[in-house]
Amino acid sequence: GAVVSQHPSWVICKSGTSVKIECRSLDFQATTMFWYRQFPKQSLMLMATSNEGSKATYEQGVEKDKFLINHASLTLSTLTVTSAHPEDSSFYICSARDGLTVNYGYTFGSGTRLTVV
Amino acid sequence: GDSVTQMEGPVTLSEEAFLTINCTYTATGYPSLFWYVQYPGEGLQLLLKATKADDKGSNKGFEATYRKETTSFHLEKGSVQVSDSAVYFCALKESGGSNYKLTFGKGTLLTVNP
């Protein structure tokens, strides 16, 4: 079945540094990528939606200059947390949608645990 | 806008007990409905889905029926196992248009004890 590989699975960084999270679709074309943030024991909060080759659409309240999303190819999307601070510590999950097949399914990455110290 | 309300839990059951996790939704059209499962430290996996009224999604012994009249999509399993311990999310996707966003409920933590 469809697989999305998300890396790293966990990362610890110092305050003020930037962290890049990658999501790759391994056997399908990710026409749309969704980036979520999940706080402990809470649901997923959609941060942004990106279509391949286009600028990402950010949800209200999400700083686009802080959370940079690149979706330059049909198999790779990245989320860069710039100038990270402790309040950015969270679990980040990507989800890819294959809009080119009949299934139109969503495939989730395994998540990235970010800890900013 | 669209919304999903599900039983918050946590739910604690003994092995082989019957499980029901309630989910109701609000949507303007005829959404597709999903149940996702999240094991500790992992991303979400699709458990089952239904795309139109009266459809029944099923997988791994879990079932849910799309009830338009009650705007519900309750998850059930007749006999749970310890390995079913996870967080379960109900979700919907709007019908039509080019908006492919999923709207999630808050999740229900299920713990199954031996």
Side-chain angles (χ1 to χ4, degrees):
Chain A
V3 174
V4 170
S5 175
Q6 181 171 349
H7 292 283
S9 55
W10 60 271
V11 57
I12 302 173
C13 71
K14 291 184 177 180
S15 242
T17 61
S18 296
V19 172
K20 181 184 284 188
I21 301 169
E22 288 190 353
C23 278
R24 293 181 183 272
S25 58
L26 298 186
D27 49 7
F28 68 99
Q29 294 180 318
T31 52
T32 305
M33 191 71 80
F34 304 90
W35 287 94
Y36 295 89
R37 182 173 179 176
Q38 185 180 29
F39 293 98
K41 299 183 180 180
Q42 294 191 28
S43 189
L44 285 76
M45 182 191 81
L46 180 65
M47 300 173 65
T49 303
S50 71
N51 293 303
E52 182 266 336
S54 303
K55 286 185 179 180
T57 301
Y58 289 81
E59 295 298 301
Q60 192 171 9
V62 178
E63 299 176 61
K64 61 182 179 181
D65 294 330
K66 180 168 188 61
F67 298 100
L68 300 179
I69 291 171
N70 183 285
H71 192 175
S73 79
L74 283 170
T75 58
L76 174 64
S77 178
T78 61
L79 166 68
T80 301
V81 183
T82 63
S83 186
H85 290 285
E87 57 266 29
D88 299 324
S89 298
S90 193
F91 193 58
Y92 293 87
I93 304 176
C94 63
S95 173
R97 177 183 174 272
D98 180 357
L100 302 178
T101 67
V102 177
N103 192 22
Y104 300 123
Y106 299 81
T107 304
F108 286 78
S110 55
T112 298
R113 172 75 58 195
L114 170 63
T115 303
V116 185
V117 297
Chain B
D2 297 345
S3 67
V4 175
T5 303
Q6 67 178 100
M7 214 164 96
E8 288 196 19
V11 175
T12 303
L13 296 173
S14 297
E15 208 163 22
E16 300 183 2
F18 184 85
L19 168 71
T20 299
I21 301 178
N22 289 338
C23 171
T24 57
Y25 67 89
T26 302
T28 52
Y30 301 93
S32 295
L33 302 174
F34 307 82
W35 275 101
Y36 283 87
V37 58
Q38 183 181 32
Y39 298 100
E42 298 184 13
L44 275 67
Q45 301 174 25
L46 178 65
L47 182 58
L48 52 85
K49 68 179 181 182
T51 57
K52 61 182 189 297
D54 298 327
D55 267 2
K56 177 186 281 188
S58 61
N59 185 25
K60 299 180 181 179
F62 291 89
E63 292 183 341
T65 301
Y66 188 143
R67 300 287 187 201
K68 182 171 176 294
E69 63 276 16
T70 54
T71 61
S72 65
F73 193 54
H74 304 322
L75 181 69
E76 296 182 336
K77 186 174 185 181
S79 176
V80 293
Q81 306 300 313
V82 173
S83 57
D84 294 327
S85 298
V87 179
Y88 292 81
F89 292 94
C90 186
L92 70 80
K93 183 185 80 66
E94 291 178 6
S95 59
S98 58
N99 184 350
Y100 302 112
K101 292 195 299 186
L102 289 174
T103 300
F104 287 90
K106 291 188 175 181
T108 301
L109 172 63
L110 170 66
T111 302
V112 180
N113 295 318

